[in-house]
Amino acid sequence: MTTSTVTAPPSDAAPRKDAAPDPARVRLRRRLARWGFVAPAVLFMLLFFGYPLVRNVVMSFQHYTPKTFFTGEAPFNGADNWSSVFQDALFGKALWHTLVFTAGSLLGQFCIGLALAVFFNRRFPLNGVLRSLILLPWLVPMVVSGIVWRRILDQDTGVLNTFLDTLGLGGHTPWLTSPGMALLSVILVNIWIGIPFNMVILYGGLQEIPKELYEAASLDGASAWRAFRSVTLPMLKPVITVVLVLGFMSTVKILDLILALTDGGPADATQTLGTLTYQNSFVELDFGAGAVVGNVLILISAVFAVFYLRANRTEGK
Protein backbone atom coordinates (compact mmCIF):
# COMPACT_ATOMS: atom_id res chain seq x y z
CA MET A 1 0.00 0.00 0.00
CA THR A 2 1.40 3.30 -1.03
CA THR A 3 0.75 6.63 0.62
CA SER A 4 1.00 9.91 -1.21
CA THR A 5 1.80 13.15 0.54
CA VAL A 6 0.42 16.35 -0.75
CA THR A 7 2.52 19.44 -0.17
CA ALA A 8 0.51 22.44 0.80
CA PRO A 9 1.13 25.58 -1.24
CA PRO A 10 3.08 28.26 0.58
CA SER A 11 0.89 30.64 2.48
CA ASP A 12 0.89 34.28 1.38
CA ALA A 13 0.83 35.31 5.02
CA ALA A 14 4.24 33.77 5.76
CA PRO A 15 7.08 36.35 5.52
CA ARG A 16 9.54 35.95 2.71
CA LYS A 17 13.20 36.05 3.58
CA ASP A 18 14.13 37.77 0.35
CA ALA A 19 11.47 40.48 0.65
CA ALA A 20 12.76 44.01 -0.05
CA PRO A 21 12.94 46.25 3.06
CA ASP A 22 10.41 49.01 3.42
CA PRO A 23 11.94 52.22 1.93
CA ALA A 24 10.17 54.43 4.45
CA ARG A 25 11.55 52.39 7.34
CA VAL A 26 15.07 52.52 5.87
CA ARG A 27 14.87 56.30 5.52
CA LEU A 28 13.64 56.62 9.11
CA ARG A 29 16.46 54.41 10.37
CA ARG A 30 19.06 56.48 8.51
CA ARG A 31 17.58 59.72 9.78
CA LEU A 32 17.67 58.46 13.35
CA ALA A 33 21.28 57.34 12.89
CA ARG A 34 22.26 60.82 11.65
CA TRP A 35 20.54 62.50 14.59
CA GLY A 36 22.21 60.02 16.92
CA PHE A 37 25.60 61.31 15.83
CA VAL A 38 24.58 64.98 15.77
CA ALA A 39 22.52 65.05 18.98
CA PRO A 40 25.47 65.09 21.46
CA ALA A 41 27.07 68.05 19.69
CA VAL A 42 23.74 69.90 19.50
CA LEU A 43 23.06 69.24 23.18
CA PHE A 44 26.55 70.44 24.10
CA MET A 45 26.10 73.66 22.09
CA LEU A 46 22.69 74.35 23.62
CA LEU A 47 23.86 73.77 27.19
CA PHE A 48 27.23 75.51 27.13
CA PHE A 49 26.72 78.16 24.43
CA GLY A 50 23.04 78.67 23.74
CA TYR A 51 21.81 78.92 27.33
CA PRO A 52 24.59 81.28 28.55
CA LEU A 53 24.06 83.49 25.50
CA VAL A 54 20.30 83.76 26.04
CA ARG A 55 20.83 84.25 29.78
CA ASN A 56 23.31 87.04 29.13
CA VAL A 57 20.88 88.83 26.80
CA VAL A 58 18.08 88.56 29.38
CA MET A 59 20.38 89.77 32.16
CA SER A 60 21.19 92.93 30.20
CA PHE A 61 17.54 93.99 30.65
CA GLN A 62 17.43 93.21 34.38
CA HIS A 63 18.49 94.91 37.58
CA TYR A 64 20.84 92.09 38.53
CA THR A 65 22.79 92.58 41.77
CA PRO A 66 24.56 90.33 44.31
CA LYS A 67 21.29 90.32 46.25
CA THR A 68 19.70 88.46 43.33
CA PHE A 69 21.81 85.37 44.08
CA PHE A 70 20.05 85.05 47.46
CA THR A 71 16.54 86.31 46.70
CA GLY A 72 16.27 85.30 43.04
CA GLU A 73 14.66 88.66 42.29
CA ALA A 74 15.97 90.44 39.19
CA PRO A 75 13.30 92.89 38.02
CA PHE A 76 13.32 94.02 34.41
CA ASN A 77 14.40 97.62 33.96
CA GLY A 78 13.92 97.96 30.22
CA ALA A 79 16.82 99.58 28.39
CA ASP A 80 18.25 101.32 31.47
CA ASN A 81 21.39 99.19 31.47
CA TRP A 82 21.99 99.82 27.76
CA SER A 83 21.48 103.58 28.01
CA SER A 84 23.73 103.90 31.06
CA VAL A 85 26.53 101.93 29.35
CA PHE A 86 26.30 103.83 26.06
CA GLN A 87 26.24 107.18 27.87
CA ASP A 88 29.35 106.29 29.83
CA ALA A 89 32.46 107.90 28.31
CA LEU A 90 34.51 104.89 29.37
CA PHE A 91 32.56 102.65 26.99
CA GLY A 92 33.62 104.75 23.99
CA LYS A 93 37.25 104.67 25.10
CA ALA A 94 37.11 100.91 25.68
CA LEU A 95 35.58 100.35 22.22
CA TRP A 96 38.29 102.44 20.55
CA HIS A 97 41.06 100.70 22.52
CA THR A 98 39.60 97.31 21.53
CA LEU A 99 39.69 98.23 17.83
CA VAL A 100 43.25 99.61 18.04
CA PHE A 101 44.47 96.66 20.09
CA THR A 102 42.89 94.10 17.76
CA ALA A 103 44.04 95.77 14.52
CA GLY A 104 47.58 96.39 15.78
CA SER A 105 47.94 92.87 17.14
CA LEU A 106 46.63 91.19 13.99
CA LEU A 107 48.81 93.29 11.71
CA GLY A 108 51.99 92.66 13.70
CA GLN A 109 51.35 88.96 14.28
CA PHE A 110 50.48 88.29 10.66
CA CYS A 111 53.34 90.23 9.05
CA ILE A 112 56.05 88.82 11.33
CA GLY A 113 54.50 85.34 11.27
CA LEU A 114 54.42 85.35 7.47
CA ALA A 115 58.02 86.56 7.25
CA LEU A 116 59.16 83.78 9.60
CA ALA A 117 57.10 81.18 7.71
CA VAL A 118 58.76 82.18 4.43
CA PHE A 119 62.17 82.14 6.12
CA PHE A 120 61.70 78.65 7.58
CA ASN A 121 60.26 77.33 4.32
CA ARG A 122 63.84 76.84 3.15
CA ARG A 123 66.09 74.02 4.32
CA PHE A 124 69.05 74.94 6.49
CA PRO A 125 70.76 73.51 9.59
CA LEU A 126 68.83 73.74 12.87
CA ASN A 127 65.62 74.66 11.02
CA GLY A 128 63.46 72.37 13.15
CA VAL A 129 65.15 73.38 16.42
CA LEU A 130 64.62 77.09 15.80
CA ARG A 131 61.00 76.56 14.82
CA SER A 132 60.43 74.63 18.03
CA LEU A 133 61.96 77.41 20.13
CA ILE A 134 59.76 80.04 18.48
CA LEU A 135 56.71 78.05 19.60
CA LEU A 136 57.52 78.64 23.29
CA PRO A 137 55.64 81.97 23.66
CA TRP A 138 52.51 80.29 22.34
CA LEU A 139 52.81 77.35 24.76
CA VAL A 140 53.23 79.45 27.91
CA PRO A 141 49.92 80.41 29.63
CA MET A 142 48.97 83.99 28.85
CA VAL A 143 48.82 85.02 32.50
CA VAL A 144 52.39 83.78 33.01
CA SER A 145 53.52 85.67 29.91
CA GLY A 146 51.83 88.82 31.21
CA ILE A 147 53.51 88.59 34.62
CA VAL A 148 56.94 87.97 33.07
CA TRP A 149 56.58 90.89 30.66
CA ARG A 150 55.38 93.12 33.48
CA ARG A 151 58.68 92.49 35.22
CA ILE A 152 60.63 93.02 32.00
CA LEU A 153 58.89 96.33 31.23
CA ASP A 154 59.06 97.73 34.76
CA GLN A 155 60.28 101.31 34.60
CA ASP A 156 62.73 101.11 37.52
CA THR A 157 63.88 97.49 37.74
CA GLY A 158 62.88 96.06 34.37
CA VAL A 159 65.39 94.17 32.23
CA LEU A 160 64.53 96.19 29.10
CA ASN A 161 65.21 99.60 30.64
CA THR A 162 68.38 98.28 32.27
CA PHE A 163 69.59 97.02 28.90
CA LEU A 164 68.75 100.32 27.18
CA ASP A 165 70.52 102.24 29.92
CA THR A 166 73.63 100.09 29.42
CA LEU A 167 73.62 101.01 25.73
CA GLY A 168 73.21 104.68 26.57
CA LEU A 169 69.76 104.86 24.94
CA GLY A 170 67.94 106.01 28.04
CA GLY A 171 66.59 103.49 30.50
CA HIS A 172 63.65 105.27 32.12
CA THR A 173 60.84 104.65 29.62
CA PRO A 174 57.47 104.21 31.41
CA TRP A 175 56.32 101.30 29.28
CA LEU A 176 53.32 100.34 31.42
CA THR A 177 52.81 103.41 33.60
CA SER A 178 52.40 106.09 30.93
CA PRO A 179 48.93 106.51 29.32
CA GLY A 180 50.66 107.20 26.01
CA MET A 181 52.86 104.08 26.09
CA ALA A 182 50.77 101.47 27.91
CA LEU A 183 48.49 100.47 25.03
CA LEU A 184 51.43 100.20 22.63
CA SER A 185 53.31 98.04 25.11
CA VAL A 186 50.34 95.70 25.55
CA ILE A 187 50.00 95.40 21.77
CA LEU A 188 53.68 94.53 21.40
CA VAL A 189 53.45 91.85 24.07
CA ASN A 190 50.38 90.35 22.41
CA ILE A 191 52.19 90.37 19.06
CA TRP A 192 55.04 88.43 20.66
CA ILE A 193 52.55 85.86 21.97
CA GLY A 194 50.65 85.45 18.69
CA ILE A 195 53.57 85.22 16.26
CA PRO A 196 54.08 81.42 16.69
CA PHE A 197 50.45 80.62 15.87
CA ASN A 198 50.55 82.67 12.66
CA MET A 199 53.91 81.21 11.69
CA VAL A 200 52.81 77.57 12.16
CA ILE A 201 49.57 77.92 10.17
CA LEU A 202 51.18 79.92 7.36
CA TYR A 203 54.16 77.58 7.25
CA GLY A 204 51.76 74.67 6.74
CA GLY A 205 50.11 76.57 3.90
CA LEU A 206 53.46 77.24 2.24
CA GLN A 207 54.27 73.53 2.33
CA GLU A 208 51.18 72.84 0.20
CA ILE A 209 52.15 75.19 -2.64
CA PRO A 210 53.51 73.15 -5.59
CA LYS A 211 57.19 73.84 -6.29
CA GLU A 212 56.45 73.73 -10.02
CA LEU A 213 54.73 77.11 -9.77
CA TYR A 214 57.93 78.74 -8.53
CA GLU A 215 59.94 76.99 -11.24
CA ALA A 216 57.56 78.30 -13.89
CA ALA A 217 57.76 81.81 -12.45
CA SER A 218 61.57 81.59 -12.46
CA LEU A 219 61.57 80.54 -16.12
CA ASP A 220 59.41 83.55 -16.91
CA GLY A 221 62.04 85.78 -15.34
CA ALA A 222 60.04 86.68 -12.21
CA SER A 223 62.02 88.06 -9.29
CA ALA A 224 61.63 86.70 -5.77
CA TRP A 225 59.30 89.57 -4.83
CA ARG A 226 57.23 89.10 -7.99
CA ALA A 227 56.94 85.34 -7.31
CA PHE A 228 55.85 86.12 -3.75
CA ARG A 229 53.12 88.48 -4.95
CA SER A 230 51.96 86.40 -7.92
CA VAL A 231 52.32 82.87 -6.53
CA THR A 232 52.67 82.78 -2.76
CA LEU A 233 50.00 85.26 -1.70
CA PRO A 234 47.25 84.02 -4.06
CA MET A 235 47.87 80.40 -3.11
CA LEU A 236 47.90 81.31 0.60
CA LYS A 237 44.65 83.28 0.46
CA PRO A 238 42.44 80.58 2.09
CA VAL A 239 45.02 80.02 4.84
CA ILE A 240 45.40 83.77 5.39
CA THR A 241 41.63 84.08 5.81
CA VAL A 242 41.59 81.35 8.45
CA VAL A 243 44.54 82.89 10.32
CA LEU A 244 42.97 86.35 10.40
CA VAL A 245 39.55 85.10 11.47
CA LEU A 246 40.92 82.92 14.28
CA GLY A 247 43.28 85.72 15.30
CA PHE A 248 40.44 88.22 15.45
CA MET A 249 38.25 85.91 17.53
CA SER A 250 41.01 85.29 20.06
CA THR A 251 42.29 88.90 20.20
CA VAL A 252 39.09 90.93 20.43
CA LYS A 253 38.11 89.25 23.73
CA ILE A 254 41.53 89.15 25.44
CA LEU A 255 41.25 89.79 29.16
CA ASP A 256 43.90 87.91 31.16
CA LEU A 257 46.92 89.46 29.40
CA ILE A 258 45.73 93.03 29.97
CA LEU A 259 44.81 92.33 33.58
CA ALA A 260 48.25 90.86 34.22
CA LEU A 261 50.08 93.76 32.55
CA THR A 262 48.14 96.92 33.41
CA ASP A 263 44.78 95.95 34.92
CA GLY A 264 43.19 98.33 32.42
CA GLY A 265 45.29 101.31 33.52
CA PRO A 266 46.94 103.70 33.79
CA ALA A 267 44.00 106.12 33.70
CA ASP A 268 41.98 103.55 31.69
CA ALA A 269 44.51 103.78 28.85
CA THR A 270 44.32 100.02 28.22
CA GLN A 271 40.67 99.51 29.05
CA THR A 272 39.01 97.28 26.41
CA LEU A 273 35.55 95.78 26.10
CA GLY A 274 36.82 92.60 27.72
CA THR A 275 38.27 94.37 30.76
CA LEU A 276 35.24 96.65 30.98
CA THR A 277 32.96 93.62 31.15
CA TYR A 278 35.10 92.22 33.95
CA GLN A 279 35.17 95.56 35.81
CA ASN A 280 31.40 96.12 35.60
CA SER A 281 30.51 92.57 36.60
CA PHE A 282 33.11 91.55 39.19
CA VAL A 283 34.52 94.83 40.52
CA GLU A 284 31.49 97.12 40.58
CA LEU A 285 29.09 94.14 40.80
CA ASP A 286 26.81 95.68 38.19
CA PHE A 287 25.99 92.48 36.33
CA GLY A 288 23.44 94.11 34.05
CA ALA A 289 25.98 96.61 32.70
CA GLY A 290 28.57 93.84 32.36
CA ALA A 291 26.07 91.79 30.34
CA VAL A 292 25.49 94.77 28.02
CA VAL A 293 29.19 95.14 27.24
CA GLY A 294 29.49 91.38 26.79
CA ASN A 295 26.61 91.42 24.31
CA VAL A 296 28.30 94.20 22.33
CA LEU A 297 31.45 92.09 22.20
CA ILE A 298 29.46 89.08 20.99
CA LEU A 299 27.72 91.24 18.37
CA ILE A 300 31.04 92.49 17.00
CA SER A 301 32.33 88.92 16.69
CA ALA A 302 29.08 87.79 15.04
CA VAL A 303 29.21 90.59 12.45
CA PHE A 304 32.81 89.70 11.64
CA ALA A 305 31.88 86.02 11.31
CA VAL A 306 28.99 86.84 8.94
CA PHE A 307 31.26 88.89 6.68
CA TYR A 308 33.78 86.04 6.71
CA LEU A 309 31.16 83.46 5.73
CA ARG A 310 29.77 85.68 2.96
CA ALA A 311 33.26 86.27 1.58
CA ASN A 312 33.97 82.54 1.57
CA ARG A 313 30.66 81.82 -0.16
CA THR A 314 31.40 84.41 -2.84
CA GLU A 315 34.90 82.98 -3.27
CA GLY A 316 33.52 79.46 -3.70
CA LYS A 317 31.19 80.58 -6.46
Side-chain angles (χ1 to χ4, degrees):
M1 180 178 180
T2 60
T3 58
S4 61
T5 58
V6 179
T7 305
S11 174
D12 294 338
R16 296 178 58 184
K17 294 183 179 180
D18 57 345
D22 186 7
R25 188 171 297 178
V26 172
R27 285 196 298 270
L28 177 62
R29 192 180 299 116
R30 288 178 179 175
R31 191 175 297 122
L32 291 176
R34 293 192 194 104
W35 277 108
F37 285 106
V38 175
V42 173
L43 183 63
F44 178 84
M45 294 291 291
L46 289 176
L47 286 177
F48 295 98
F49 290 93
Y51 174 75
L53 179 61
V54 173
R55 193 70 190 89
N56 197 65
V57 173
V58 173
M59 190 184 298
S60 65
F61 295 98
Q62 292 178 313
H63 182 63
Y64 209 98
T65 63
K67 185 179 177 182
T68 304
F69 292 100
F70 300 97
T71 63
E73 298 177 357
F76 282 87
N77 57 3
D80 290 350
N81 293 331
W82 292 82
S83 60
S84 63
V85 168
F86 288 154
Q87 291 172 7
D88 188 1
L90 184 57
F91 174 78
K93 291 177 62 176
L95 179 60
W96 171 248
H97 293 159
T98 302
L99 296 177
V100 173
F101 175 77
T102 304
S105 297
L106 288 181
L107 182 62
Q109 292 172 359
F110 174 75
C111 292
I112 300 176
L114 179 59
L116 288 174
V118 173
F119 174 75
F120 284 111
N121 197 36
R122 303 173 300 166
R123 290 187 176 182
F124 58 88
L126 300 180
N127 184 311
V129 175
L130 293 177
R131 277 191 288 118
S132 302
L133 292 176
I134 291 178
L135 286 176
L136 289 178
W138 189 35
L139 301 177
V140 176
M142 196 167 289
V143 173
V144 176
S145 298
I147 294 174
V148 171
W149 274 101
R150 185 167 185 168
R151 297 293 300 271
I152 293 174
L153 298 176
D154 187 87
Q155 181 178 356
D156 300 321
T157 61
V159 175
L160 182 57
N161 276 344
T162 303
F163 177 71
L164 293 176
D165 189 36
T166 303
L167 297 178
L169 300 176
H172 303 285
T173 305
W175 298 102
L176 300 176
T177 55
S178 169
M181 290 290 299
L183 184 59
L184 175 61
S185 301
V186 173
I187 291 174
L188 292 176
V189 173
N190 192 49
I191 289 174
W192 176 81
I193 293 174
I195 286 173
F197 172 77
N198 285 258
M199 185 200 72
V200 169
I201 303 298
L202 293 171
Y203 176 80
L206 289 174
Q207 295 292 303
E208 298 298 322
I209 299 177
K211 304 300 180 184
E212 293 80 4
L213 296 178
Y214 293 105
E215 294 174 1
S218 177
L219 292 175
D220 288 340
S223 62
W225 173 245
R226 180 62 184 275
F228 177 78
R229 288 191 297 112
S230 302
V231 178
T232 304
L233 287 182
M235 296 297 292
L236 272 182
K237 191 175 181 181
V239 180
I240 291 174
T241 303
V242 171
V243 166
L244 292 180
V245 169
L246 294 179
F248 177 87
M249 295 298 182
S250 62
T251 303
V252 74
K253 61 181 178 60
I254 278 184
L255 170 66
D256 42 5
L257 177 66
I258 299 177
L259 289 181
L261 284 171
T262 62
D263 199 20
D268 296 319
T270 57
Q271 197 77 259
T272 63
L273 293 180
T275 59
L276 185 59
T277 303
Y278 173 82
Q279 179 176 315
N280 286 339
S281 299
F282 302 108
V283 177
E284 300 177 3
L285 300 180
D286 189 352
F287 299 103
V292 170
V293 182
N295 288 330
V296 172
L297 198 55
I298 293 172
L299 183 61
I300 292 174
S301 301
V303 170
F304 188 84
V306 168
F307 277 112
Y308 163 69
L309 293 175
R310 289 177 66 90
N312 271 5
R313 190 178 306 164
T314 305
E315 232 176 79
K317 293 179 181 179

